[in-house]
Amino acid sequence: MEVQDIFEDLQDPGPIPESGDNVFKIAIRKLDSYFRVEENIPYERHVFRQLAPKEEETADQFMARLRKHARHCNFGTSLNDNLRDQLIEKLTDFELKRKLLEQRNITLEEALDKARAWEAAASFVGNEEASESDEDCAFAFMVFETEEDICHTVICDEPVIEICVDGISTKALIDSGSVSNLMGMSKYEEVKTQGLNVKLENCQKRLYAYGGKELNVVGQIQVELSVGTKKINSQFVVTTSGRCLLGHITSRDLGLLRIGLGASSESAECNVVSKDLASALQTKYPKVFSGIGKLKEYRLKLHVDPEVTPVAQEPRRVPFALREKF
């Protein structure tokens, strides 16, 4: 009834078509004039230019979103060109973007075909790496000593350390290849429930993971970090997902990471051989150097079967390139 009441008060906006008019066409004209909102083409195109692939979204899924919004942009005959340009511009994989830009005047369909093939290959490689991860999970080891002066070798886990963020204890992974400290949104919410009271500030940084994928940055927080007695003021960039990472600058300032020739401490020198190394090892590991050792002034007798006829092997021929030297 509401539509009927509105319809009775509507005026025919016109114009009357040349092919003639009827009650149905007049009704459609009146209702379209009343309900249809005039599109703001510059605004719709601005929104279109801001569209970017979401996390884990394929090229086809992104293209479907682009086509849906392009209905309001009035691109006309240049629709496919605008879709192609937006696809290439917003790709987060720089290697794929470079390959698409290398092809002269690539079409939309060609770009989509290459993107599909690239995604399929990346998915296959990712599955292969995941299947091998259990077999190759340990990439480092360390040697430690026990009271019995016996050396043992154990597999090291990831370099995860307990840190305090504004007095709240949490675990973080030391990443010497990261330029910033990172914290996933779930970890940020977790430390907030434990009493972290800091404001999430705006962050203009653009961060990229290994392989060129851009991280979704939510903001940043200013905190005090402490490990043991060492304290520094630093910041964490909060991302939509991921674990807590300490970048190389913060790890170095906290004394957790040492880089350079002087990285080893005096108590734990690495790859250093002193003149008294032999005596030092004998003193440190006496059990290793006691008992049966190297045989001196002893002639070894080889036991052979006397019934076996000896065979003299001919000498091997000298290679042609080496004959003059011999």
Side-chain angles (χ1 to χ4, degrees), residues 257-276:
L257 181 66
R258 298 178 182 178
I259 301 175
L261 297 176
S264 300
S265 62
E266 295 180 358
S267 61
E269 290 185 336
C270 180
N271 298 333
V272 176
V273 179
S274 58
K275 295 182 179 179
D276 57 344

Side-chain angles (χ1 to χ4, degrees), residues 135-163:
E135 301 177 0
D136 195 25
C137 60
F139 56 89
F141 65 90
M142 64 180 178
V143 177
F144 68 94
E145 302 161 11
T146 64
E147 296 179 356
E148 292 80 9
D149 292 334
I150 300 176
C151 292
H152 296 270
T153 303
V154 296
I155 295 174
C156 288
D157 295 327
E158 292 179 317
V160 177
I161 191 168
E162 196 86 15
I163 64 172

Side-chain angles (χ1 to χ4, degrees), residues 5 20 23 38 59 112 159 170 174 184 192-193 199 214 225 234-235 272 281 284 294 302 311 321 326:
D5 294 339
V23 177
E38 293 187 5
L112 284 173
T170 187
I174 300 175
K192 277 185 64 178
T193 58
K199 181 181 178 182
E214 185 172 4
L225 300 179
S234 187
Q235 65 181 14
V272 176
L281 290 176
K284 195 170 186 178
K294 181 180 179 180
L302 298 178
V311 177
F326 286 91

Side-chain angles (χ1 to χ4, degrees), residues 15-22 25 29:
I16 299 175
E18 297 179 358
S19 59
D21 214 349
N22 55 43
K25 292 182 179 180
R29 224 167 28 240

Side-chain angles (χ1 to χ4, degrees), residues 218-235:
V218 179
Q220 64 183 13
I221 55 175
Q222 303 290 336
V223 294
E224 180 187 74
L225 300 179
S226 61
V227 176
T229 59
K230 190 78 171 179
K231 295 183 180 181
I232 63 170
N233 292 320
S234 187
Q235 65 181 14

Side-chain angles (χ1 to χ4, degrees), residues 161-174:
I161 191 168
E162 196 86 15
I163 64 172
C164 286
V165 181
D166 276 0
I168 301 172
S169 179
T170 187
K171 291 183 179 180
L173 174 69
I174 300 175

